[in-house]
Amino acid sequence: MPLLEPDPEALRPGTAREPAIDRVTDRSAAGTPEPLRSELTALLDADKVLWKVSDLVRYASDASPYRFLPRVVLVPEDLDDISAILSYAHGKGREVVFRAAGTSLNGQAQGEDILVDVRRHWTGVDVLDDGARARIRPGTTVLRANTTLARYGRLLGPDPASAVACTVGGVVANNASGMTAGTTRNSYRTLVSLTFVLPSGTVVDTADPAADEELAHAEPQLCADLLALKAEIEADEELTARIRAKYAIKNTNGYRLDAFLDGATPVQILRGLMVGSEGTFGFIAETVFDTLPLDRKVTSALLFFPSLTAAAAAVPRFNAAGAIAVELMDGNTLRASVNVKGVPADWAALPRETAALLVEFRAPDETGQEAFEEAAAEVMRGLDLVVPATSVTNAFTRDAGTIAGYWKARKAFVTAVGGSRPSGTTLITEDFAVPPDRLADACEALLELQSRHGFDAAVAGHAAHGNLHFLLAFDAARATDVERYDAFMQEFCALVVDRFDGSLKAEHATGRNIAPFLEREWGARATELMWRTKQVIDPEGVLAPRIVLDRDPRAHLRGLKTIPKVEAVADPCIECGFCEPTCPSEDLTTTPRQRIVLRREMMRQADGSPVEAGLLDAYGYDAVDTCAGDSTCKLACPVGIDTGAMMKGFRQRRHSAREERIAALTARNFRVVEASARLAVAAGNAIGERGGDRLLESVTRLARKAVRPDLVPEWLPQLPGAAARQLPRTARVGASAVYYPACVNRIFAGPEAGPVDTSLAEALVALSERAGKHVWIPDDVAGTCCATIWHSKGYDAGNRIMANRIVEAAWGWTAGGTLPLVVDASSCTLGIAEEVVPYLTEDNQALHRELTVVDSLVWAADELLPELTVFEKVGSAAVHPTCSMEHLGDVGQLRELAQACAEEVTVPDDAGCCAFAGDRGMLHKELTDSATAKEAAEVNSRTYDSYLSANRMCEIGMERATGRPYRSALIELERATRPPGR
C-alpha cells in the first residue's frame, strides 16, 4: 500500500441516519453474483462486464422517479456483442434492458437483470446527400448530431429539451419530439430507415431492398403474424378510425398501432413499430434521418399574460401566423427559473396567476423574417399583455443572446422547478396532450387537480401542440405521500381520457408510471393488440418487461426512489443527466450524476453496512481522484450544481494534517518551489533528450506506487523543457495593462516543433507593443500563483495563503485596480477572477472588487487585434477551447484570433475538456487519454497547418492525445502580424 494512501473512511457519511426502505440490500454488496459474472466475462471479455456494487448502483438511477438495481451492466462494442448478449439471455431465461443517456423520465432506462450500456461505443454521424440525410449511431446526442449538421444548414426534426444529453437512439425508442417537432417533425415522420436487432438476434436493415426477403427467410412466423395483425386491424373500421384519431395529436402511449396501417410489408411495419417501442422490440443499432432546413433568421418574444387562460387563447393566433414554436410557462415555472443563470432576478416576485408564451418564428432569409414579424405584430395588436416585472419587454427580438436566454429558462423547466423542490423529495415528471383548442381548459383543470391533492401547481409545455408538462414532488419514504401520488394519478388519467380524450403520454413514452393506465386510454381492444404484438416480436419476453405493458394496477408505485439529503452543493440534483456528456471521466469511471447517485446510496445505508463499505472502497478513485475538477458540469446543469466542487471538498476531507501543513508550506515558499520545479523540468528534459524518457517514467511510477498516485506526477515524454529564467523586459511607465505570466508559463517552455520560436511572454509583449498598448510585467511575479494548484486538490490552508497573496500583489501592481490585469493562461484567469474569492479575507475581498482581470485572449482580441496588421496567414488551424474559457465565456475571442491567423478554422465537434487539469493529466494520464479520445480522432482525421489553444497544460494534453504541436493562439498571432523581414 502506498505510504500516503488516503483512508476511505474519511468519506464515510458522518450523519446519524436510519436505513432507507429502498436501500440496496447486503446480499448485493459483492456485486454481480456467480455464475452470471463469470459466464458473461467469458462471453464478452472482462472490460465489457461491470460487476462491482458501485457499478450497479450508479446505473440503477436515471432521470425518472424510479430506481431498480441491475444484476450486471454490460458495455458491448458491436453487433456481435449485442447478438451474443441476446443469445445468452434466451438460453438462460434472463431479461435485457438497453440504456443510452438515461435521460428518460419514466424508468425506461432501468432493468432488474441485465442492463446494457449502448452509449459508450455507439456514437458517430455520417452526413449524406450534402446534409439532406444523416446516418447516426444510437449513442450520439441530439446536440452532437445537430452540431455536425449545422455546417450544412440542416438539423434533425426531433428537438427535445434534453438535446444536450439525450441520444438519438433514445429519441427514436421513445419518439421524443420537443419544442417544434409536433406530429410532423418527430422520429416517426422523419426517419428514413433503421438497422435494428430483434430479440431473436436477427439483424434488419430496413433500407436494404432485400430486407423483406431476408426476414421472411430468417423469421417466417414473425412475418406471417405481423401481416395477420395488419389485416385484422384494417378490417376493423372503427378501430382504424380510432387509431388515426389518436395520432392526430401527440401520442407516445403504447405501441404505434398506425405502423400496421402505414407499413405494407413486415419490414415496413417493424420500422414503424420500433419508433416509440422503448427498447421492448429490439436494439436500434443505426438510424438514417431526413434532415430539415436550419432556418437561421430567428425572431422571438417572451410575452406575459395576466392568466393561463389569456395565454392559451393567444396560441392558435400565433400558430396561424406561422410560429414554429409557442411554449407556455405558468407563474410557478417562471419564478423557479430564477435559479438558472441569466434569468432576470425580478421574476422571483411574479404573481402566481402570471403566465408567459415563448413565441418563435424562423425563416430562411430576410424577406421571410420580415413577413413573419409583420404577422406577429398583427397578432400582438389584439393581445392583453401585462408587465409584471421591470425586466419584461413583451417585444419581439432578433438578438441571439436574448433569445438564448429565453430558451434556457424554458428548457430548464424540469431541473429548475425540480431543483427548487423541498429537500428529500422525489420528483415525478409527467406530460400529456389534449386537442390544442382545449389547452386553456386543460391547464385550469390540471392546476386545480394539483392543488386539491396538495401538490405545488406548475405547468409548462408545447402549447402549439396542446402538449403540457407538470411536476409532482413527494417523499417516497412516506406511505401517505405515495398514496397521495396514487390518488392524483387515478384522477389525472380519468381527467385526460374522459374529459379531454387526450394522450396520457405525448412525448415521454409510456414508461413505468403510465403502463398500468394504458388500457384506460386505448381501450381493451387496442391494448390487447399491443400485447399480441409484443408476443409476436418477443415471444419469450426477453426485452424490457414491465416498461410498456404491465397488468399490475399499482406498477407505477413500484420502485419509487427515495432522495436522501447529501452535501448542499449537490442536494438539488434530480439526476437528469444533462451534466454527463461534458464530463471528462464519462467513459473512464463515473459522471457527475453518478457521483451524486453513489453518495445518495451511501446515505440510504446503515452506517457500516457491507454495501456502504463497497461503495466507499470504489469512490476514492472512481469519483474523487478521476474528477478533473473543471466544473463543466456546472455549466451544463440548469441549476448550476458543481459536482467538481464537491469532489474537491472530498479531497480536502481525505488530507491528513501533515499533508495540509506541507501544502501550506509550499504556498508560503512558492518562490523556491517554482524555481525548483523549473530546474526539475530542465533536468528531466535533458535526460529525456538523451533517451531517458523510459527511465524517468519508471522512476516516477515507482515513486507513485510508494507514495501515492494522486500526489506524485508521472513523467510524460510530451512535457516541454523549462521556461527561460528571465521574463521579457518591460517598463511600468506608459503601460496600458499589467501582464501577469502564469506560473505554468514561468516553469514550462512553449512548444519546440514548428517555425515559431517565440515564447508566450515574448509574443504577448511584442503584440502589445505592436498595437501601441504596452504591458508591464512586475519584477516580483515569481512566487505568486492564481492558487488553482491548491484549490483543485482541496488544500484549504495553502489555497487561502496564495489566494490572498495574489490579490494583494495584483492590487499593488495595478495601482489599486487602475490598470487591467492581463493573465496568460485561461485557467489562471478564472482562478484570479472568480475562484479565489471565497478564500479571501474581508479586506482582500474589497481589494478584489477593484480589480479588472482580463484573459490574454480577450485582451488580444478586443484591444490589440483592431490595431494590428495581418501579414501572413496559414491555410488551416484546429482550435481547442479550454474548459476555463467556457466558464469565462471567451471562446468567441479564441475563434476570432484563430481566424486572424488562418484561412480555415475548425473547432472539432467533439471538443471538450482535455482533463489535464493542471497536473491531473500527469497524476492520472488515463483520464486525459479517455477525455481526449474522440476529439483527437476528429483532429487526426486530417492535417492542419496549426494547432491552437490558450493554456499550456491543455496544449500538452492535446499534444499527447494527437501527436500534434499545440501552441497558444497568441504565439500564432504574433507570427501572423510580424512585419516581413523581422
Side-chain angles (χ1 to χ4, degrees):
M1 177 181 289
L3 180 63
L4 298 178
E5 182 73 7
D7 183 3
E9 292 296 310
L11 300 181
R12 184 183 297 279
T15 57
R17 58 194 187 277
E18 290 294 324
I21 57 174
D22 62 334
R23 68 189 181 280
V24 174
T25 59
D26 290 351
R27 67 173 178 269
S28 296
T32 301
E34 294 290 0
L36 181 62
R37 175 184 165 191
S38 58
E39 288 175 352
L40 288 171
T41 299
L43 182 72
L44 297 175
D45 296 333
D47 59 343
K48 299 175 185 178
V49 180
L50 304 181
W51 59 271
K52 296 184 300 182
V53 66
S54 60
D55 296 324
L56 307 185
V57 168
R58 65 189 174 98
Y59 275 94
S61 295
D62 60 9
S64 78
Y66 299 98
R67 197 171 76 102
F68 292 96
L69 190 77
R71 306 296 295 279
V72 68
V73 178
L74 305 180
V75 190
E77 292 185 358
D78 51 35
L79 285 178
D80 287 342
D81 286 345
I82 295 290
S83 294
I85 292 168
L86 291 175
S87 177
Y88 176 86
H90 273 284
K92 298 291 185 175
R94 308 205 73 105
E95 300 167 354
V96 174
V97 170
F98 298 112
R99 175 188 176 118
T103 55
S104 59
L105 297 168
N106 302 295
Q108 298 98 310
Q110 297 176 23
E112 300 170 76
D113 195 4
I114 298 174
L115 188 68
V116 183
D117 181 335
V118 291
R119 178 199 56 80
R120 187 178 302 181
H121 299 297
W122 298 85
T123 60
V125 182
D126 293 326
V127 178
L128 310 174
D129 303 332
D130 198 32
R133 291 185 174 185
R135 178 178 290 111
I136 309 172
R137 303 194 80 202
T140 308
T141 66
V142 172
L143 177 63
R144 174 63 177 82
N146 280 337
T147 299
T148 296
L149 288 169
R151 293 199 180 103
Y152 299 84
R154 310 291 292 184
L155 81 169
L156 295 177
D159 63 335
S162 57
V164 65
C166 69
T167 63
V168 170
V171 166
V172 174
N174 292 285
N175 199 23
S177 46
M179 318 291 179
T180 67
T183 58
T184 60
R185 295 162 61 107
N186 60 21
S187 295
Y188 190 81
R189 299 300 177 192
T190 60
L191 198 61
V192 177
S193 66
L194 283 171
T195 298
F196 54 85
V197 185
L198 292 169
S200 61
T202 299
V203 179
V204 179
D205 177 1
T206 65
D208 185 348
D212 272 298
E213 180 181 349
E214 293 175 359
L215 183 63
H217 178 74
E219 307 256 5
Q221 190 61 52
L222 170 63
C223 293
D225 289 345
L226 288 173
L227 291 175
L229 285 170
K230 173 181 172 63
E232 183 178 340
I233 292 171
E234 290 179 332
D236 189 331
E237 293 184 4
E238 183 179 350
L239 176 61
T240 298
R242 180 62 177 159
I243 291 171
R244 292 300 189 193
K246 289 296 293 176
Y247 292 110
I249 62 174
K250 293 175 72 170
N251 192 335
T252 59
N253 192 18
Y255 294 129
R256 294 269 335 193
L257 292 180
D258 56 345
F260 288 103
L261 305 177
D262 298 331
T265 70
V267 167
Q268 291 174 4
I269 294 170
L270 284 171
R271 173 246 171 248
L273 285 171
M274 291 297 294
V275 178
S277 63
E278 305 174 54
T280 63
F281 286 160
F283 168 59
I284 298 171
E286 190 174 84
T287 64
V288 178
F289 277 87
D290 275 331
T291 65
L292 300 171
L294 175 57
D295 293 332
R296 299 181 188 272
K297 298 292 185 178
V298 179
T299 300
S300 299
L302 188 61
L303 308 175
F304 286 74
F305 296 81
S307 66
L308 276 168
T309 303
V315 172
R317 299 182 62 185
F318 282 115
N319 284 345
I324 192 169
V326 184
E327 295 292 303
L328 175 71
M329 292 175 277
D330 81 330
N332 280 345
T333 301
L334 293 165
R335 287 195 301 275
S337 295
V338 299
N339 293 322
V340 179
K341 184 178 180 180
V343 172
D346 60 6
W347 285 15
L350 290 173
R352 287 183 68 91
E353 62 272 14
T354 302
L357 292 179
L358 171 52
V359 182
E360 183 159 294
F361 295 87
R362 299 178 193 168
D365 52 37
E366 184 76 18
T367 301
Q369 186 175 31
E370 290 175 353
F372 277 140
E373 288 172 347
E374 290 176 7
E378 179 63 29
V379 174
M380 291 277 284
R381 279 189 278 272
L383 298 182
D384 180 22
L385 301 176
V386 295
V387 184
T390 304
S391 63
V392 172
T393 62
N394 285 332
F396 278 91
T397 180
R398 296 183 178 187
D399 181 71
T402 302
I403 294 171
Y406 292 160
W407 279 108
K408 189 173 185 181
R410 168 59 189 94
K411 291 183 177 182
F413 168 64
V414 172
T415 40
V417 178
S420 62
R421 76 197 187 283
S423 180
T425 55
T426 298
L427 191 70
I428 299 277
T429 305
E430 281 290 357
D431 88 305
F432 67 103
V434 299
D437 60 357
R438 305 291 306 278
L439 182 68
D441 289 345
C443 286
E444 296 293 346
L446 173 64
L447 293 174
E448 187 278 329
L449 186 65
Q450 288 176 299
S451 297
R452 181 154 44 84
H453 284 274
F455 293 106
D456 288 338
V459 64
H462 316 312
H465 311 293
N467 179 190
L468 296 173
H469 300 249
F470 65 93
L471 307 174
L472 306 174
F474 63 94
D475 187 349
R478 296 174 56 186
T480 54
D481 263 23
V482 173
E483 291 306 315
R484 179 164 59 98
Y485 161 63
D486 181 35
F488 172 89
M489 287 300 296
Q490 301 294 338
E491 284 198 51
F492 162 73
C493 292
L495 174 74
V496 173
V497 173
D498 299 341
R499 180 170 168 182
F500 295 105
D501 193 20
S503 308
L504 290 174
K505 280 294 181 184
E507 60 179 3
H508 293 169
T510 312
R512 298 179 183 274
N513 53 335
I514 290 297
F517 305 100
L518 180 64
E519 186 171 336
R520 180 65 185 262
E521 175 180 337
W522 276 96
R525 174 84 170 105
T527 304
E528 182 230 352
L529 285 165
M530 293 181 189
W531 278 95
R532 288 168 58 191
T533 301
K534 171 67 171 174
Q535 178 65 27
V536 164
I537 298 173
D538 184 16
E540 295 181 37
V542 169
L543 293 182
R546 307 191 71 169
I547 286 178
V548 177
L549 303 174
D550 198 325
R551 300 192 191 278
D552 179 1
R554 293 178 63 83
H556 58 299
L557 308 179
R558 178 175 167 269
L560 290 170
K561 66 184 174 188
T562 61
I563 303 292
K565 188 173 183 178
V566 293
E567 283 69 19
V569 67
D571 197 53
C573 175
I574 61 166
E575 303 173 10
C576 67
F578 283 22
C579 56
E580 293 192 334
T582 71
C583 181
S585 59
E586 178 188 27
D587 290 334
L588 178 67
T589 50
T590 58
T591 67
R593 170 170 61 176
Q594 291 174 340
R595 290 176 170 96
I596 296 171
V597 163
L598 289 165
R599 192 64 177 168
R600 282 177 170 163
E601 183 56 39
M602 293 181 203
M603 302 303 293
R604 292 188 185 98
Q605 293 293 315
D607 194 29
S609 76
V611 171
E612 183 194 52
L615 296 179
L616 286 169
D617 186 59
Y619 202 76
Y621 176 77
D622 287 352
V624 181
D625 292 346
T626 52
C627 173
D630 64 350
S631 295
T632 52
C633 50
K634 178 181 178 180
L635 298 177
C637 177
V639 292
I641 292 173
D642 188 350
T643 313
M646 185 167 77
M647 295 303 108
K648 291 170 189 172
F650 287 155
R651 288 170 188 166
Q652 196 277 331
R653 285 173 59 170
R654 295 193 305 177
H655 296 155
S656 66
R658 179 174 61 171
E659 287 179 83
E660 284 286 347
R661 287 195 299 270
I662 293 171
L665 186 66
T666 63
R668 292 191 183 96
N669 298 279
F670 191 63
R671 187 184 185 96
V672 174
V673 173
E674 177 186 331
S676 301
R678 188 164 49 246
L679 287 173
V681 169
N685 190 255
I687 295 171
E689 287 180 349
R690 291 173 173 79
D693 279 331
R694 289 187 178 180
L695 173 62
L696 291 168
E697 290 173 347
S698 298
V699 170
T700 54
R701 284 173 188 163
L702 286 172
R704 286 161 58 80
K705 289 181 180 178
V707 181
R708 177 176 156 192
D710 211 46
L711 289 179
V712 180
E714 182 174 345
W715 177 261
L716 302 177
Q718 294 80 13
L719 290 175
R725 291 183 60 190
Q726 298 298 321
L727 292 164
R729 296 179 64 85
T730 56
R732 183 169 191 170
V733 176
S736 298
V738 176
Y739 170 25
Y740 179 66
C743 66
V744 65
N745 293 319
R746 305 194 305 264
I747 294 172
F748 290 104
E752 298 177 2
V756 179
D757 56 4
T758 303
S759 72
L760 175 57
E762 291 169 336
L764 185 53
V765 169
L767 285 167
S768 298
E769 290 179 354
R770 211 170 283 163
K773 298 188 176 183
H774 300 265
V775 293
W776 171 59
I777 302 175
D779 296 332
D780 57 346
V781 295
T784 62
C785 172
C786 66
T788 300
I789 294 173
W790 295 269
H791 175 67
S792 65
K793 292 179 170 57
Y795 288 113
D796 190 70
N799 188 13
R800 292 181 186 278
I801 290 168
M802 190 55 74
N804 284 279
R805 180 187 299 173
I806 186 60
V807 168
E808 291 168 2
W811 192 82
W813 294 333
T814 61
T818 304
L819 296 176
L821 183 74
V822 176
V823 185
D824 67 0
S826 57
S827 59
C828 302
T829 308
L830 180 66
I832 299 173
E834 299 179 15
E835 292 176 346
V836 299
V837 175
Y839 304 94
L840 299 176
T841 64
E842 187 175 338
D843 288 345
N844 284 341
Q845 286 185 4
L847 298 185
H848 186 274
R849 285 192 290 271
E850 298 182 25
L851 296 178
T852 301
V853 184
V854 181
D855 191 73
S856 56
L857 290 177
V858 176
W859 170 253
D862 295 353
E863 301 295 332
L864 307 184
L865 190 57
E867 309 299 328
L868 296 172
T869 300
V870 175
F871 293 101
E872 182 183 1
K873 288 188 176 185
V874 296
S876 60
V879 175
H880 173 73
T882 70
C883 52
S884 299
M885 297 174 65
E886 297 285 355
H887 283 282
L888 293 166
D890 56 15
V891 174
Q893 281 91 340
L894 174 61
R895 187 187 289 270
E896 185 179 354
L897 294 180
Q899 289 170 339
C901 302
E903 299 291 346
E904 176 197 1
V905 172
T906 300
V907 177
D909 292 344
D910 282 313
C913 176
C914 69
F916 212 85
D919 64 353
R920 194 139 298 265
M922 294 184 283
L923 298 173
H924 298 287
K925 65 181 183 180
E926 70 277 12
L927 175 61
T928 292
D929 291 346
S930 178
T932 57
K934 292 176 183 176
E935 182 178 358
E938 191 176 348
V939 169
N940 284 333
S941 66
R942 55 165 288 189
T943 300
Y944 294 89
D945 297 314
S946 189
Y947 300 84
L948 307 177
S949 190
N951 187 294
R952 191 70 194 102
M953 302 314 288
C954 298
E955 292 157 16
I956 294 169
M958 288 306 299
E959 181 170 340
R960 170 176 161 73
T962 64
R964 310 292 185 176
Y966 276 78
R967 61 172 56 87
S968 170
L970 297 179
I971 295 177
E972 189 66 24
L973 182 65
E974 192 283 325
R975 180 205 60 77
T977 60
R978 188 185 301 170
R982 290 182 60 182

